[in-house]
Amino acid sequence: GDSVTQMEGPVTLSEEAFLTINCTYTATGYPSLFWYVQYPGEGLQLLLKATKADDKGSNKGFEATYRKETTSFHLEKGSVQVSDSAVYFCALSGNTGGFKTIFGAGTRLFVKA
Amino acid sequence: DAGVIQSPRHEVTEMGQEVTLRCKPISGHDYLFWYRQTMMRGLELLIYFNNNVPIDDSGMPEDRFSAKMPNASFSTLKIQPSEPRDSAVYFCASRMDTRNNSPLHFGNGTRLTVT
């Protein structure tokens, strides 16, 4: 079945450091790929998405490119801020499985001032 | 747009008691999902509805769990009887349609503690 694997956390960075959170997926067909972010005490919210190969999703300085050849969707940000501290979830939604969204385990990011 | 609204935000109950969690999805969204989040298992899909009809409840852990959606603007998740291992954060999410690029919109969750 479809699955998402993302790097384990926590990831601890200093402010203004470069961020990469790795995500790879397994799916049949052509899924859409998402990054969601969860701040403390809140639900998940969409950060960015990409719907086809080579698409780049971007929002709030975060970017991820849909790489079909490597089945990856790595999240990057050039300069993190303390306010980026949160849990980040990679997810896919495909044409199989009743259009369910499959989530990775989440990666916790701590950014120090 | 008020977003997905869940109540209560926190629930503390004793083992054996009945617990009811409530959700109001975003108006116009055809799909509603119930998730459970724990440190050990992460985010688990329990059940989802399409146009108020349950489509897949394979994630519901036991018969103690039940979910209903009597109309397009309201859903409940009930646990009866509750057990300490049910302690978790329960999220409701809604989605507009079946296109696979349509994202989920989550509520802020209900933190359930069963003592």
Side-chain angles (χ1 to χ4, degrees):
Chain A
D2 294 355
S3 66
V4 175
T5 303
Q6 60 182 107
M7 63 188 284
E8 287 190 25
V11 174
T12 302
L13 296 172
S14 297
E15 209 166 19
E16 299 184 3
F18 184 85
L19 169 71
T20 300
I21 301 178
N22 290 337
C23 171
T24 57
Y25 68 91
T26 302
T28 56
Y30 302 94
S32 290
L33 302 175
F34 304 84
W35 278 100
Y36 287 82
V37 59
Q38 184 180 27
Y39 299 103
E42 298 182 10
L44 283 69
Q45 55 186 275
L46 179 68
L47 180 59
L48 54 84
K49 69 178 183 182
T51 59
K52 60 183 187 297
D54 299 325
D55 265 4
K56 177 185 284 189
S58 61
N59 186 24
K60 299 180 182 179
F62 291 89
E63 293 183 341
T65 301
Y66 190 141
R67 301 285 189 201
K68 191 162 179 62
E69 64 276 12
T70 54
T71 63
S72 65
F73 193 54
H74 305 321
L75 182 68
E76 296 182 336
K77 186 176 185 182
S79 177
V80 294
Q81 306 300 312
V82 172
S83 57
D84 293 327
S85 298
V87 182
Y88 292 82
F89 292 87
C90 185
L92 71 81
S93 179
N95 296 320
T96 60
F99 298 97
K100 289 186 284 192
T101 300
I102 308 298
F103 286 91
T107 302
R108 184 174 295 275
L109 171 66
F110 292 105
V111 180
K112 303 179 296 184
Chain B
D1 185 352
V4 175
I5 299 172
Q6 291 187 246
S7 64
R9 285 301 310 272
H10 302 274
E11 177 79 46
V12 180
T13 190
E14 291 184 348
M15 183 174 66
Q17 296 298 306
E18 177 180 297
V19 175
T20 300
L21 312 181
R22 297 172 175 79
C23 175
K24 175 178 168 54
I26 293 173
S27 177
H29 282 195
D30 294 337
Y31 288 80
L32 183 141
F33 302 78
W34 282 100
Y35 285 88
R36 177 171 69 177
Q37 186 178 40
T38 61
M39 290 293 292
M40 292 298 295
R41 292 200 179 93
L43 203 59
E44 302 173 275
L45 176 63
L46 301 177
I47 184 171
Y48 78 95
F49 296 82
N50 176 215
N51 291 326
N52 314 338
V53 176
I55 301 301
D56 184 346
D57 65 355
S58 59
M60 296 285 261
E62 299 171 33
D63 290 346
R64 298 184 296 106
F65 286 69
S66 62
K68 294 182 179 179
M69 192 164 185
N71 57 62
S73 59
F74 184 65
S75 177
T76 60
L77 178 67
K78 185 177 294 186
I79 309 172
Q80 166 63 18
S82 57
E83 296 183 4
R85 59 193 167 121
D86 302 330
S87 298
V89 181
Y90 291 80
F91 288 103
C92 175
S94 67
R95 181 179 182 180
M96 184 176 293
D97 56 33
T98 59
R99 290 174 302 160
N100 65 2
N101 61 0
S102 174
L104 291 168
H105 297 258
F106 284 79
N108 282 332
T110 295
R111 181 175 294 278
L112 174 64
T113 303
V114 183
T115 61

